[in-house]
Amino acid sequence: MLPVPSGRLLLLLLGLFPVAIHAAAFGGSGLLLGAIACILVLATIDMNGSARMLHGVEVKADPVCRLSRASEGNYSIYFRITNQMPRAFHIALAFDPEIECSEYSKDVVLPAKEGSLFSVSFSVTPTNRGIYPAPKVFLEFPSRLGLFQVRRACATGGEIRVYPNLRRERKQLANLFMNRGLSGAHLQRQTGQGREYEQLREYAPGDNILDLHWKASAKRGAWATKMYQVERTQHVYFILDHSRLSGLRVARDGNLGDDDSFGENFLERYVTVASVLGMAAEKQGDLFGLIAHGSRVSRFVPANTGSRHSQTVQDALFNLTPESAPADFASLFTFLRLRIRRRSLLIFMTDLADDLAAGEFKKHVGLISRNHYVIVNSIRRPGVYPIFSDEYDAPSIAQQISGHMRWDGLRRMRLGLDAMGVQFSVLNQEKLSVDVVNQYLSVKQRQVI
């Protein structure tokens, strides 16, 4: 408890000045001492009574408050009154600097009924993803006699989790989902014979010799052919890089307004794409998994589906931050080879504009490219276009040459990965989610997993 003198107590103390002047001029110090004693007694009684009042209010908050980055939300504080205390008081919250609040303090008037639960909401806007401690709650109310403003700090013990903001991606993908039939996989034409074994049948002229089941044919004494069915459920893994290069800032064109008025880095875009791709895979009935890596594999969520699994993926994503160390691709591909045994679609999000990172990736990707279908995506850095192209808008010839050299390095990287059966693309970040979902749908339709 921290009692602060109120204006009423200050007025009483100011009233002692005429008494002090009278005592100095005409004597009567006993009157002055008596007045001081009365004020001290009243102040002591008032302070002790106010201390008991502090125990009459309980302050609580939700154990976990979930918000979206750069999106306005509500943070609620709950009060319960257990005995007599002033019904009107002042409340203030000390939020983390990453959480902006339009009004950090409020005047509160509680209902007259004791024991009832009363809530006060604050409008907040988080600027970055992550996990933040719940703010301390500071209460201030007048004492019984009004001589003090009593203040108390309360810890609620909860936490605030800030998740990616998918509002813009939902708008971009609304028509795509509708046109591609994401709400019903049976509306989508599947090509190819499939890879999932279904049953055996008798050999018919024209059957491919590769489809013959040699052991079954030997047992039966007649040729037997394997039949396959189109796989409806596939495993999709999104592998994002949160190493040193993921901290590069994203260059945006245009103003996103309310959707996203805060700066982003590459990792922020990776996290957003992971959330959107997870929703698309669930709509298609596929199993979605997540792997995050930097200097080591920091997150691994095995492929699965369902609302609980979606929340697990979001919990693994929301507090990812860029590391200061480079990516260790050797340990990553060793991990993938050991932990993902079933043939799956692996979609990588990493930056391969750096020659060292690109060389390490190309050196080790062969460990998994034979067993899985691999797609690698990088965000296009500003100015990375072929020289004299229509997209190029560099102010100087030196910057044009630099951008062309980076583009040529990525072109040669794509040719090298194509020879290894790995699909490599450099995507513009404004439509990154749309392009990645299109890649997934194309693979799904062609049945190449």
Side-chain angles (χ1 to χ4, degrees):
M1 182 188 74
L2 178 63
V4 178
S6 65
R8 184 175 299 180
L9 179 59
L10 295 178
L11 289 176
L12 288 176
L13 294 177
L14 288 176
L16 293 178
F17 280 100
V19 179
I21 294 173
H22 183 274
F26 305 103
S29 58
L31 179 62
L32 176 61
L33 293 176
I36 294 175
C38 289
I39 294 176
L40 289 176
V41 170
L42 288 175
T44 303
I45 294 174
D46 195 27
M47 188 182 300
N48 292 334
S50 301
R52 291 192 296 269
M53 293 170 57
L54 286 175
H55 302 290
V57 58
E58 296 179 3
V59 183
K60 295 182 179 179
D62 293 326
V64 178
C65 176
R66 292 180 170 87
L67 302 172
S68 296
R69 176 184 176 273
S71 179
E72 187 176 357
N74 291 323
Y75 182 78
S76 299
I77 298 295
Y78 303 95
F79 300 92
R80 188 187 302 275
I81 306 302
T82 58
N83 60 18
Q84 293 295 328
M85 69 166 290
R87 300 298 172 182
F89 57 90
H90 194 72
I91 177 177
L93 270 64
F95 285 102
D96 189 275
E98 300 290 345
I99 300 178
E100 298 180 354
C101 185
S102 59
E103 190 178 10
Y104 289 92
S105 61
K106 289 184 178 182
D107 291 321
V108 179
V109 179
L110 297 180
K113 184 179 179 181
E114 294 185 9
S116 60
L117 196 64
F118 182 78
S119 65
V120 178
S121 296
F122 289 79
S123 179
V124 297
T125 304
T127 59
N128 284 307
R129 288 180 298 101
I131 182 170
Y132 303 96
K136 281 190 175 182
V137 181
F138 296 90
L139 305 178
E140 181 184 79
F141 55 88
S143 60
R144 294 185 184 276
L145 299 180
L147 301 180
F148 296 95
Q149 291 291 336
V150 183
R151 296 175 180 175
R152 173 189 174 190
C154 305
T156 58
E159 64 182 21
I160 299 176
R161 295 186 178 185
V162 182
Y163 293 88
N165 190 343
L166 306 181
R167 183 183 304 174
R168 182 184 61 175
E169 277 66 24
R170 289 178 186 273
K171 292 180 180 179
Q172 290 180 345
L173 290 166
N175 293 332
L176 177 65
F177 281 6
M178 183 180 299
N179 295 336
R180 293 300 183 93
L182 283 177
S183 60
H186 62 281
L187 297 178
Q188 189 177 47
R189 180 175 178 267
Q190 302 288 341
T191 60
Q193 70 169 6
R195 293 177 177 270
E196 187 173 343
Y197 171 78
E198 184 178 11
Q199 61 182 355
L200 293 174
R201 64 170 174 81
E202 294 183 359
Y203 173 82
D207 286 350
N208 194 326
I209 191 173
L210 297 178
D211 294 334
L212 292 177
H213 197 297
W214 299 99
K215 290 185 177 180
S217 300
K219 290 181 179 180
R220 294 182 178 185
W223 296 111
T225 302
K226 292 179 287 187
M227 294 184 62
Y228 300 90
Q229 63 180 353
V230 174
E231 295 177 272
R232 294 294 185 184
T233 301
Q234 299 172 346
H235 287 210
V236 181
Y237 279 91
F238 188 80
I239 305 166
L240 62 91
D241 179 3
H242 66 102
S243 63
R244 174 177 56 87
L245 294 178
S246 68
L248 296 173
R249 305 302 292 180
V250 170
R252 285 196 174 280
D253 299 327
N255 182 15
L256 295 176
D258 295 335
D259 285 356
D260 192 352
S261 58
F262 304 95
E264 287 186 335
N265 52 28
F266 280 14
L267 178 59
E268 198 68 40
R269 302 300 297 140
Y270 298 167
V271 169
T272 303
V273 174
S275 301
V276 173
L277 185 62
M279 292 189 298
E282 185 176 3
K283 289 288 186 180
Q284 286 282 27
D286 288 337
L287 306 184
F288 179 77
L290 174 73
I291 298 173
H293 72 96
S295 58
R296 60 180 180 84
V297 176
S298 59
R299 306 283 195 280
F300 175 57
V301 181
N304 208 329
T305 188
S307 58
R308 181 174 297 181
H309 176 73
S310 299
Q311 187 61 50
T312 302
V313 171
Q314 291 301 315
D315 289 340
L317 284 171
F318 81 96
N319 60 347
L320 274 178
T321 56
E323 294 183 354
S324 58
D328 185 354
F329 289 113
S331 63
L332 169 64
F333 288 119
T334 301
F335 178 89
L336 295 176
R337 186 175 184 180
L338 295 176
R339 300 299 296 271
I340 304 180
R341 297 301 183 90
R342 174 172 172 171
R343 180 174 172 83
S344 305
L345 171 61
L346 307 183
I347 300 180
F348 287 81
M349 283 301 310
T350 185
D351 185 76
L352 297 183
D354 182 81
D355 292 337
L356 181 60
E360 287 295 312
F361 188 93
K362 185 177 179 181
K363 178 181 178 181
H364 297 99
V365 71
L367 290 173
I368 62 170
S369 60
R370 299 182 184 89
N371 300 324
H372 304 283
Y373 192 87
V374 180
I375 297 177
V376 185
N377 295 314
S378 292
I379 294 178
R380 186 185 301 276
R381 294 192 187 183
V384 180
Y385 292 99
I387 196 168
F388 304 130
S389 64
D390 295 335
E391 296 87 355
Y392 216 101
D393 190 20
S396 67
I397 188 64
Q399 292 180 346
Q400 293 185 31
I401 294 175
S402 175
H404 177 83
M405 294 178 65
R406 287 183 178 273
W407 169 84
D408 186 62
L410 292 172
R411 180 186 63 84
R412 288 185 279 107
M413 181 69 179
R414 181 175 65 252
L415 293 176
L417 291 178
D418 285 345
M420 304 173 66
V422 177
Q423 178 182 334
F424 175 61
S425 302
V426 180
L427 306 177
N428 295 325
Q429 61 84 26
E430 288 295 337
K431 293 186 177 181
L432 186 63
S433 298
V434 176
D435 292 337
V436 173
V437 171
N438 273 325
Q439 290 175 344
Y440 158 66
L441 292 176
S442 176
V443 172
K444 176 77 173 177
Q445 184 178 15
R446 290 185 289 122
Q447 285 289 313
V448 296
I449 299 180

mmCIF file of all heavy atoms in Angstrom, residues 198-224:
data_model
loop_
_atom_site.group_PDB
_atom_site.id
_atom_site.type_symbol
_atom_site.label_atom_id
_atom_site.label_comp_id
_atom_site.label_asym_id
_atom_site.label_seq_id
_atom_site.Cartn_x
_atom_site.Cartn_y
_atom_site.Cartn_z
ATOM 1 N N GLU A 198 -3.879 -50.386 -53.589
ATOM 2 C CA GLU A 198 -5.262 -50.698 -53.226
ATOM 3 C C GLU A 198 -5.499 -52.214 -53.179
ATOM 4 O O GLU A 198 -5.888 -52.754 -52.146
ATOM 5 C CB GLU A 198 -6.224 -50.051 -54.212
ATOM 6 C CG GLU A 198 -7.688 -50.265 -53.842
ATOM 7 C CD GLU A 198 -8.629 -49.570 -54.803
ATOM 8 O OE1 GLU A 198 -8.165 -49.101 -55.878
ATOM 9 O OE2 GLU A 198 -9.826 -49.496 -54.498
ATOM 10 N N GLN A 199 -5.240 -52.941 -54.271
ATOM 11 C CA GLN A 199 -5.503 -54.375 -54.297
ATOM 12 C C GLN A 199 -4.800 -54.994 -55.511
ATOM 13 O O GLN A 199 -4.172 -54.301 -56.315
ATOM 14 C CB GLN A 199 -7.006 -54.649 -54.387
ATOM 15 C CG GLN A 199 -7.650 -54.091 -55.642
ATOM 16 C CD GLN A 199 -9.131 -54.334 -55.696
ATOM 17 O OE1 GLN A 199 -9.691 -55.005 -54.828
ATOM 18 N NE2 GLN A 199 -9.797 -53.821 -56.712
ATOM 19 N N LEU A 200 -4.918 -56.325 -55.616
ATOM 20 C CA LEU A 200 -4.378 -57.068 -56.753
ATOM 21 C C LEU A 200 -5.524 -57.532 -57.659
ATOM 22 O O LEU A 200 -6.655 -57.747 -57.215
ATOM 23 C CB LEU A 200 -3.590 -58.288 -56.284
ATOM 24 C CG LEU A 200 -2.286 -58.029 -55.524
ATOM 25 C CD1 LEU A 200 -1.721 -59.334 -55.010
ATOM 26 C CD2 LEU A 200 -1.285 -57.293 -56.403
ATOM 27 N N ARG A 201 -5.206 -57.676 -58.927
ATOM 28 C CA ARG A 201 -6.169 -58.253 -59.886
ATOM 29 C C ARG A 201 -5.396 -59.090 -60.893
ATOM 30 O O ARG A 201 -4.166 -59.051 -60.965
ATOM 31 C CB ARG A 201 -6.956 -57.154 -60.591
ATOM 32 C CG ARG A 201 -6.116 -56.239 -61.455
ATOM 33 C CD ARG A 201 -7.010 -55.334 -62.293
ATOM 34 N NE ARG A 201 -6.254 -54.339 -63.028
ATOM 35 C CZ ARG A 201 -5.618 -54.556 -64.174
ATOM 36 N NH1 ARG A 201 -5.606 -55.787 -64.695
ATOM 37 N NH2 ARG A 201 -4.964 -53.587 -64.779
ATOM 38 N N GLU A 202 -6.143 -59.855 -61.681
ATOM 39 C CA GLU A 202 -5.514 -60.684 -62.703
ATOM 40 C C GLU A 202 -4.905 -59.810 -63.795
ATOM 41 O O GLU A 202 -5.406 -58.733 -64.117
ATOM 42 C CB GLU A 202 -6.527 -61.640 -63.317
ATOM 43 C CG GLU A 202 -7.052 -62.691 -62.341
ATOM 44 C CD GLU A 202 -8.002 -63.646 -63.021
ATOM 45 O OE1 GLU A 202 -8.250 -63.472 -64.242
ATOM 46 O OE2 GLU A 202 -8.510 -64.567 -62.344
ATOM 47 N N TYR A 203 -3.819 -60.299 -64.344
ATOM 48 C CA TYR A 203 -3.132 -59.578 -65.404
ATOM 49 C C TYR A 203 -4.020 -59.462 -66.633
ATOM 50 O O TYR A 203 -4.722 -60.411 -67.025
ATOM 51 C CB TYR A 203 -1.830 -60.295 -65.764
ATOM 52 C CG TYR A 203 -1.127 -59.713 -66.969
ATOM 53 C CD1 TYR A 203 -0.331 -58.592 -66.838
ATOM 54 C CD2 TYR A 203 -1.274 -60.310 -68.220
ATOM 55 C CE1 TYR A 203 0.313 -58.052 -67.940
ATOM 56 C CE2 TYR A 203 -0.635 -59.786 -69.342
ATOM 57 C CZ TYR A 203 0.151 -58.641 -69.193
ATOM 58 O OH TYR A 203 0.791 -58.110 -70.285
ATOM 59 N N ALA A 204 -4.015 -58.269 -67.241
ATOM 60 C CA ALA A 204 -4.747 -58.041 -68.482
ATOM 61 C C ALA A 204 -3.760 -57.538 -69.526
ATOM 62 O O ALA A 204 -2.808 -56.813 -69.191
ATOM 63 C CB ALA A 204 -5.864 -57.017 -68.271
ATOM 64 N N PRO A 205 -3.935 -57.930 -70.770
ATOM 65 C CA PRO A 205 -3.024 -57.463 -71.821
ATOM 66 C C PRO A 205 -2.951 -55.939 -71.846
ATOM 67 O O PRO A 205 -3.970 -55.247 -71.759
ATOM 68 C CB PRO A 205 -3.650 -58.020 -73.108
ATOM 69 C CG PRO A 205 -4.442 -59.198 -72.665
ATOM 70 C CD PRO A 205 -4.970 -58.855 -71.302
ATOM 71 N N GLY A 206 -1.750 -55.421 -71.918
ATOM 72 C CA GLY A 206 -1.549 -53.981 -71.932
ATOM 73 C C GLY A 206 -1.106 -53.416 -70.600
ATOM 74 O O GLY A 206 -0.732 -52.241 -70.520
ATOM 75 N N ASP A 207 -1.158 -54.233 -69.524
ATOM 76 C CA ASP A 207 -0.695 -53.751 -68.219
ATOM 77 C C ASP A 207 0.803 -53.486 -68.250
ATOM 78 O O ASP A 207 1.572 -54.219 -68.889
ATOM 79 C CB ASP A 207 -1.010 -54.777 -67.134
ATOM 80 C CG ASP A 207 -2.486 -54.813 -66.792
ATOM 81 O OD1 ASP A 207 -3.205 -53.906 -67.260
ATOM 82 O OD2 ASP A 207 -2.921 -55.741 -66.088
ATOM 83 N N ASN A 208 1.198 -52.454 -67.540
ATOM 84 C CA ASN A 208 2.617 -52.100 -67.459
ATOM 85 C C ASN A 208 3.362 -53.178 -66.687
ATOM 86 O O ASN A 208 2.900 -53.655 -65.643
ATOM 87 C CB ASN A 208 2.778 -50.744 -66.759
ATOM 88 C CG ASN A 208 4.168 -50.176 -66.936
ATOM 89 O OD1 ASN A 208 5.160 -50.911 -66.992
ATOM 90 N ND2 ASN A 208 4.237 -48.862 -67.029
ATOM 91 N N ILE A 209 4.520 -53.553 -67.206
ATOM 92 C CA ILE A 209 5.299 -54.592 -66.537
ATOM 93 C C ILE A 209 5.767 -54.147 -65.158
ATOM 94 O O ILE A 209 6.007 -54.968 -64.272
ATOM 95 C CB ILE A 209 6.501 -54.995 -67.424
ATOM 96 C CG1 ILE A 209 7.168 -56.263 -66.861
ATOM 97 C CG2 ILE A 209 7.508 -53.851 -67.528
ATOM 98 C CD1 ILE A 209 8.256 -56.811 -67.763
ATOM 99 N N LEU A 210 5.876 -52.833 -64.967
ATOM 100 C CA LEU A 210 6.300 -52.326 -63.661
ATOM 101 C C LEU A 210 5.228 -52.531 -62.592
ATOM 102 O O LEU A 210 5.521 -52.472 -61.401
ATOM 103 C CB LEU A 210 6.645 -50.833 -63.763
ATOM 104 C CG LEU A 210 7.825 -50.481 -64.682
ATOM 105 C CD1 LEU A 210 8.019 -48.962 -64.722
ATOM 106 C CD2 LEU A 210 9.095 -51.160 -64.203
ATOM 107 N N ASP A 211 3.969 -52.738 -63.019
ATOM 108 C CA ASP A 211 2.876 -52.930 -62.066
ATOM 109 C C ASP A 211 2.679 -54.389 -61.682
ATOM 110 O O ASP A 211 1.793 -54.705 -60.881
ATOM 111 C CB ASP A 211 1.566 -52.383 -62.647
ATOM 112 C CG ASP A 211 1.595 -50.871 -62.815
ATOM 113 O OD1 ASP A 211 2.358 -50.221 -62.068
ATOM 114 O OD2 ASP A 211 0.871 -50.352 -63.686
ATOM 115 N N LEU A 212 3.457 -55.292 -62.225
ATOM 116 C CA LEU A 212 3.307 -56.703 -61.874
ATOM 117 C C LEU A 212 3.803 -56.955 -60.459
ATOM 118 O O LEU A 212 4.817 -56.395 -60.023
ATOM 119 C CB LEU A 212 4.103 -57.574 -62.848
ATOM 120 C CG LEU A 212 3.600 -57.619 -64.296
ATOM 121 C CD1 LEU A 212 4.533 -58.468 -65.143
ATOM 122 C CD2 LEU A 212 2.178 -58.146 -64.350
ATOM 123 N N HIS A 213 3.074 -57.760 -59.715
ATOM 124 C CA HIS A 213 3.463 -58.161 -58.365
ATOM 125 C C HIS A 213 4.099 -59.550 -58.476
ATOM 126 O O HIS A 213 3.414 -60.571 -58.594
ATOM 127 C CB HIS A 213 2.240 -58.188 -57.451
ATOM 128 C CG HIS A 213 2.593 -58.192 -55.995
ATOM 129 N ND1 HIS A 213 3.292 -59.209 -55.395
ATOM 130 C CD2 HIS A 213 2.337 -57.273 -55.015
ATOM 131 C CE1 HIS A 213 3.439 -58.942 -54.117
ATOM 132 N NE2 HIS A 213 2.878 -57.771 -53.858
ATOM 133 N N TRP A 214 5.417 -59.566 -58.421
ATOM 134 C CA TRP A 214 6.130 -60.804 -58.736
ATOM 135 C C TRP A 214 5.917 -61.891 -57.685
ATOM 136 O O TRP A 214 5.749 -63.068 -58.007
ATOM 137 C CB TRP A 214 7.617 -60.498 -58.900
ATOM 138 C CG TRP A 214 7.870 -59.530 -60.027
ATOM 139 C CD1 TRP A 214 8.086 -58.203 -59.945
ATOM 140 C CD2 TRP A 214 7.888 -59.849 -61.424
ATOM 141 N NE1 TRP A 214 8.257 -57.640 -61.175
ATOM 142 C CE2 TRP A 214 8.145 -58.642 -62.121
ATOM 143 C CE3 TRP A 214 7.723 -61.027 -62.157
ATOM 144 C CZ2 TRP A 214 8.228 -58.582 -63.503
ATOM 145 C CZ3 TRP A 214 7.822 -60.962 -63.538
ATOM 146 C CH2 TRP A 214 8.069 -59.761 -64.200
ATOM 147 N N LYS A 215 5.927 -61.526 -56.422
ATOM 148 C CA LYS A 215 5.741 -62.540 -55.373
ATOM 149 C C LYS A 215 4.341 -63.147 -55.433
ATOM 150 O O LYS A 215 4.174 -64.371 -55.311
ATOM 151 C CB LYS A 215 5.998 -61.925 -54.002
ATOM 152 C CG LYS A 215 7.455 -61.581 -53.742
ATOM 153 C CD LYS A 215 7.644 -61.098 -52.317
ATOM 154 C CE LYS A 215 9.118 -60.816 -52.036
ATOM 155 N NZ LYS A 215 9.342 -60.341 -50.639
ATOM 156 N N ALA A 216 3.325 -62.282 -55.593
ATOM 157 C CA ALA A 216 1.954 -62.798 -55.684
ATOM 158 C C ALA A 216 1.772 -63.655 -56.931
ATOM 159 O O ALA A 216 1.050 -64.670 -56.922
ATOM 160 C CB ALA A 216 0.964 -61.630 -55.675
ATOM 161 N N SER A 217 2.420 -63.277 -58.024
ATOM 162 C CA SER A 217 2.317 -64.077 -59.252
ATOM 163 C C SER A 217 2.933 -65.449 -59.060
ATOM 164 O O SER A 217 2.403 -66.471 -59.544
ATOM 165 C CB SER A 217 3.003 -63.333 -60.403
ATOM 166 O OG SER A 217 2.401 -62.084 -60.633
ATOM 167 N N ALA A 218 4.065 -65.505 -58.330
ATOM 168 C CA ALA A 218 4.713 -66.804 -58.093
ATOM 169 C C ALA A 218 3.848 -67.698 -57.221
ATOM 170 O O ALA A 218 3.768 -68.917 -57.444
ATOM 171 C CB ALA A 218 6.078 -66.572 -57.452
ATOM 172 N N LYS A 219 3.198 -67.132 -56.213
ATOM 173 C CA LYS A 219 2.344 -67.927 -55.335
ATOM 174 C C LYS A 219 1.103 -68.432 -56.061
ATOM 175 O O LYS A 219 0.657 -69.556 -55.856
ATOM 176 C CB LYS A 219 1.934 -67.102 -54.119
ATOM 177 C CG LYS A 219 3.073 -66.829 -53.151
ATOM 178 C CD LYS A 219 2.578 -66.021 -51.961
ATOM 179 C CE LYS A 219 3.703 -65.758 -50.962
ATOM 180 N NZ LYS A 219 3.252 -64.978 -49.791
ATOM 181 N N ARG A 220 0.513 -67.579 -56.907
ATOM 182 C CA ARG A 220 -0.723 -67.955 -57.587
ATOM 183 C C ARG A 220 -0.466 -68.856 -58.800
ATOM 184 O O ARG A 220 -1.375 -69.579 -59.252
ATOM 185 C CB ARG A 220 -1.464 -66.700 -58.056
ATOM 186 C CG ARG A 220 -1.974 -65.823 -56.929
ATOM 187 C CD ARG A 220 -2.744 -64.641 -57.497
ATOM 188 N NE ARG A 220 -3.298 -63.784 -56.462
ATOM 189 C CZ ARG A 220 -4.090 -62.738 -56.700
ATOM 190 N NH1 ARG A 220 -4.433 -62.451 -57.947
ATOM 191 N NH2 ARG A 220 -4.543 -62.010 -55.708
ATOM 192 N N GLY A 221 0.719 -68.739 -59.342
ATOM 193 C CA GLY A 221 0.980 -69.454 -60.587
ATOM 194 C C GLY A 221 0.404 -68.755 -61.780
ATOM 195 O O GLY A 221 0.281 -69.335 -62.858
ATOM 196 N N ALA A 222 -0.009 -67.484 -61.605
ATOM 197 C CA ALA A 222 -0.565 -66.676 -62.697
ATOM 198 C C ALA A 222 -0.169 -65.221 -62.445
ATOM 199 O O ALA A 222 0.050 -64.803 -61.306
ATOM 200 C CB ALA A 222 -2.082 -66.814 -62.771
ATOM 201 N N TRP A 223 -0.113 -64.462 -63.538
ATOM 202 C CA TRP A 223 0.302 -63.078 -63.386
ATOM 203 C C TRP A 223 -0.727 -62.280 -62.583
ATOM 204 O O TRP A 223 -1.930 -62.412 -62.791
ATOM 205 C CB TRP A 223 0.499 -62.431 -64.758
ATOM 206 C CG TRP A 223 1.613 -63.039 -65.572
ATOM 207 C CD1 TRP A 223 1.492 -63.780 -66.701
ATOM 208 C CD2 TRP A 223 2.994 -62.956 -65.281
ATOM 209 N NE1 TRP A 223 2.725 -64.189 -67.164
ATOM 210 C CE2 TRP A 223 3.672 -63.681 -66.299
ATOM 211 C CE3 TRP A 223 3.755 -62.367 -64.263
ATOM 212 C CZ2 TRP A 223 5.056 -63.822 -66.334
ATOM 213 C CZ3 TRP A 223 5.126 -62.496 -64.299
ATOM 214 C CH2 TRP A 223 5.766 -63.214 -65.316
ATOM 215 N N ALA A 224 -0.202 -61.437 -61.677
ATOM 216 C CA ALA A 224 -1.061 -60.560 -60.870
ATOM 217 C C ALA A 224 -0.544 -59.126 -61.002
ATOM 218 O O ALA A 224 0.670 -58.874 -60.989
ATOM 219 C CB ALA A 224 -1.041 -60.977 -59.406
#
